[in-house]
Amino acid sequence: MKITILTLFPEMFTALNESILGRAQKEGRFELEVVDIRAYTQDKHLKCDDYPFGGGAGMVMMVQPIGSAIEAKDPLHRARRIYLSPKGKVFRQDMVYSLAEEEHLLLLCGHYEGVDQRAIDLFIDEELSIGDYVLTGGELPAMVVVDCVARYLDGVLTPASLVQESFSENLLEYPQYTRPAEYRGLKVPDVLRSGNHAEIDKWRREQSLAVTKKNRPDLIKS
Ligand code: 4GM
């Protein structure tokens, strides 16, 4: 998979060169192309934002640099083009699976008060929000989408962790422990050290149900 990011702040995406995603890129599991929108402006002072028509606070990203960058990077419109914005459809786990099937994703990051509406109308397929809050830019949301999708690409994670995840669908994770068996008087539950895997599975299901009821009762249908 190829993922093209369009942003005014390309350095932010160095975060994706760390850990699992860094290794996955080196192994060629996906290719990240980070594009500086400023390189495409026709303005002689390299301006990419301007005051909003009709007045109001803040700045709006101009359509020309965005349009030129998208047409340069996806001339035949083969990519699924996504704009990250608080107005978008809320991004959920079920959308991750369909995004992971794509050959090419293009993620547009807005800054300031967002982008000229014509950039969305002319060049974007769908508007996604990672949640009901406002950030200074779409860069962190784009990184969230990349991370979620990359986990499902072949060879990025060990299949067992993904199987486990879908198995316990709609329930939150049970508590995990590692050594030492006791820390500041808090002991690891005996069952986890018993070697009885039927009992361990039962305990974990009960814990998952209990934490879901407490923190996310909305996830429990019936
Ligand atoms: C306003 C309009 C995405 C602000 C468009 C982007 C939150 C999200 C921005 C924009 C963002 C989100 C930039 N803040 N909830 N800020 O996914 O692109």
Side-chain angles (χ1 to χ4, degrees), residues 11-209:
E11 287 81 14
M12 289 182 73
F13 292 88
T14 56
L16 299 178
N17 297 332
E18 300 291 331
S19 186
I20 295 170
L21 298 187
R23 192 203 63 207
Q25 287 184 74
K26 283 183 199 125
E27 291 175 352
R29 309 293 180 183
F30 72 100
E31 180 198 344
L32 196 63
E33 176 186 44
V34 183
V35 178
D36 188 349
I37 295 170
R38 203 173 298 282
Y40 292 87
T41 184
Q42 287 164 2
D43 180 85
K44 63 175 183 282
H45 301 110
L46 303 187
K47 235 165 69 92
C48 288
D49 59 78
D50 209 337
Y51 300 99
F53 275 120
M59 303 292 271
V60 176
M61 282 171 63
M62 292 152 56
V63 61
Q64 177 276 316
I66 294 170
S68 296
I70 292 179
E71 285 182 333
K73 293 299 168 182
D74 181 31
L76 301 178
H77 200 161
R78 296 270 174 78
R80 188 156 160 191
R81 301 171 174 180
I82 295 167
Y83 174 54
L84 288 312
S85 116
K87 291 200 295 193
K89 202 172 162 197
V90 178
F91 182 58
R92 295 182 62 87
Q93 187 63 33
D94 59 344
M95 301 177 181
V96 174
Y97 311 128
S98 95
L99 292 180
E101 301 288 306
E102 301 286 340
E103 279 302 321
H104 189 186
L105 296 178
L106 183 151
L107 305 179
L108 172 63
C109 306
H111 228 84
Y112 319 111
E113 308 305 310
V115 308
D116 187 308
Q117 183 62 36
R118 292 167 293 184
I120 300 166
D121 296 343
L122 285 170
F123 301 111
I124 292 298
D125 299 317
E126 58 202 299
E127 209 167 331
L128 296 183
S129 163
I130 63 159
D132 288 335
Y133 36 80
V134 180
L135 304 165
T136 58
E139 284 77 11
L140 290 169
M143 285 189 253
V144 165
V145 170
V146 170
D147 191 297
C148 288
V149 169
R151 297 176 70 249
Y152 283 88
L153 302 178
D154 284 345
V156 174
L157 295 188
T158 64
S161 45
L162 300 174
V163 169
Q164 177 67 26
E165 219 170 56
S166 66
F167 194 66
S168 45
E169 215 162 353
N170 291 318
L171 286 185
L172 301 180
E173 285 263 295
Y174 49 78
Q176 298 273 21
Y177 296 89
T178 187
R179 290 190 294 179
E182 185 177 342
Y183 179 73
R184 297 195 181 177
L186 290 188
K187 289 190 174 122
V188 172
D190 285 333
V191 60
L192 296 179
R193 304 175 60 215
S194 69
N196 183 335
H197 285 282
E199 282 301 312
I200 292 170
D201 287 349
K202 179 167 166 278
W203 182 86
R204 285 175 166 171
R205 275 196 302 277
E206 289 164 358
Q207 292 289 317
S208 280
L209 200 57

